[in-house]
Amino acid sequence: MNFFKFASLTLVRNLSKNIIVFIFFTLFIFIASSFIFTASSLQNSLDAELETQPDIIVQYKKASRNHPIDTSIIDEISDIPGVEKVYERIFGYYFFDTANKYINVLGIDFLDDEQEKQIKHLYKNFDLKSFLQEDNMLVSSSVKKLLEQYYYEKFFNFIVEDEEPKKVNIYGVFDKKINLFLNDSVIMEMAMAKDILGYEENEASEIAIIVPNKLEIDNIVQKLLVITPTSKIITKNNMYKYSHELYDYKGGIFLSLFITSFLGFLVIFYSQASSINGAGKKQIGILRAIGWSINDIIKWKMSEAVIVSFVSFLSGVLLSYVYIFLFKNNIFVSIFLGSENVYKDIILEPFFDINSFVILFFITIIPYLASTLHPAWKSSIADPTEAIK
Amino acid sequence: MIFSKSLVAFLFVEVTIGLLFIFSFYFAYMILTRWNFNSPSKLQYTLEKRDYFVSLILYFALSSKVVLLPFFINLLNSLSEKLPGAMCAAGVVSANEYGQLLLILKVVIIFVSGTWLILNAKDKLEVNLPYVKPRYYLYLILFFLIIFELLIEYLYFTNISTEEVVLCCSALYGANSNGLTLPFGLDIFAVLYLFYATWVLLFLSYIKKYLLINTVANIFYLVLSFYALTYFFSTYVYELPTHKCPYCLFQKEYHYIGYLLWGSLIGGSFYAIAGFVVSKITRFKTDYLYRNSLVLDTIFILACTLYVVVYYLKNGVFL
């Protein structure tokens, strides 16, 4: 403990020299931990979103691309024992030509309890009756902003194949904070969405199935394969697995790049720690002369490194927490979500994932300390009589 | 090849430690071949200084390895999400032939480097550093272990297939497994009987200071504990008679109790073995190491027994 006190005093004494290492190290940790905060917060929101998803999804693929699925199989699926509810889902991107952006159109059956439940919390004082009376839609705040740029204040004209442009009124704006993944979306009545996206009456994007008993899911999947042998069946577990894999993969790539660049900086840290000026040498010489052993000098030098790395670690993590969760439009979100589309003012949900910080600790502090081992030893073995001369 | 954030970080730290060892190998080799304490030459003086560097690196490596071991277990548990069929680390470890070896190697490395550091501390207490030679022979073993471990790690992680189905723990250890079973055709109650008897032997040999017996008993205790924990005590932790697994203990559902159980068990054996080696090489007494060993072994046996007792008190029956 005495070494730590002494080390902190000597660090403050040589502030100008140590501050550079501190700033660089903090910057490195800031970048890495911003990335980790962003990734784990998005992952967490995605997990929460997946929680509300149906248990099984049936999609129809042609040449491994999504194709509209025929809704006539719904009745057949509902007859499978263990299935509580089957419903069609409509969604798809509408290309807003003038702005060169995609808008995610979601069709909802507002008279269906299950689907209405998902929407209800998005918009306060939602009056279903007045909403359904006209061609209305709910839009996200980012979409609202986008439309306003093109002077669509009250309504929007969707261009529909072989028809007049479809005029849909903007009924209200839903709170983006509640759902990050609806940021580029508009929500409307199902029939209208089918019309806009070019679906036939009996077509849907996918079919959702709710199974109350999770143990029956695998069994039901087998039976679904008999009904629709060519379609793709996705269970909730698959979705979790896929999303985790994706984020882990992106995180892993970033980490590999980070480590590569960090290695370069370690060389700088190493040479910075190795270069000891005359005064520093004298200091060590005097300490040796008054009875410090080689081990004591090493302990003192290592305590300095430990203090620098821990303080930088904490300040880097703290700074990135403030930046990621309190500032809008941080640049790290675009790494994950892409910046071309309507993703504009996103505020991430604060989420702290301990495992990620253990990783960060390992890839920054251990290599940093490793790079200071040799310099610490090197300075400790200098001949005291030479140093004082 | 399997890929994840934790894996990248883990391999990076392992390679860093490996590089440090390679870095210090030259110094260690010089000390081993040229050491002559009575020589007044400049070389001898340099070698003595280099000894500090090697011990610094080992100290650093051991502390990192000790922190890395739980992280490694956690990594294996998290990888089970990616492997079809795996429910916990058991499946991941058995994904190829290197997994078991790697785990054993990791524990052995911690044993050897820990022993080295205790020996080093004892050496520094003497005026003429008399234990340098044994220390550096031990270092040589450790060096090759570390390099071997890196190799095995590389082979292990590059040979995990994400497509092939691996076995889950109930297939490996459970009722219908045909792989691992109890040794010498013993039944579980014989193992339990031996397990408790060995602890009594440990206790008595500690009091009577029969160090050799204590060390041998500790090795027995480690082996018996593995079987007792996997096939008997773990079922009480999971509160399920068919769930037998040494790895699921590390999961959140069971309050990470595996870290305490395995930590105390491995720590207990380590202190006994280190105590024996140090007492053979040096003239110092190592009673305090045996005391630590007994304390940790006792924590292990108490924690295990407590699970059974609490289960019995709660439910009024045994599993």
Side-chain angles (χ1 to χ4, degrees), chain A residues 241 244 248-249 251-253 255 259 294-295 298 355-356 358-359 362-363 366-367 369-370 373-374 377 381, chain B residues 3-6 8-9 12-13 16 20 23 27 49-50 52-53 56-57 60 64 67-68 71 74 81-82:
Chain A
K241 205 175 158 182
H244 283 206
D248 216 16
Y249 184 73
I253 287 189
L255 224 62
I259 286 171
I294 291 180
N295 256 340
I298 291 178
N355 188 40
S356 302
V358 175
I359 294 174
F362 278 135
I363 59 165
I366 290 187
L369 290 180
L373 290 176
H374 187 250
W377 169 75
I381 57 157
Chain B
F3 187 73
S4 90
K5 269 192 311 208
S6 310
V8 173
F12 179 55
V13 176
T16 311
L20 281 176
F23 198 45
F27 286 5
K49 284 177 178 169
R50 284 178 181 177
Y52 281 100
F53 183 58
L56 178 62
I57 284 195
F60 181 77
S64 316
V67 201
L68 268 177
F71 183 70
N74 189 29
E81 209 177 77
K82 297 183 198 295

Side-chain angles (χ1 to χ4, degrees), chain B residues 308-319:
Chain B
V308 181
V309 171
V310 167
Y311 184 86
Y312 185 73
L313 289 180
K314 258 195 210 161
N315 300 296
V317 282
F318 289 111
L319 279 174

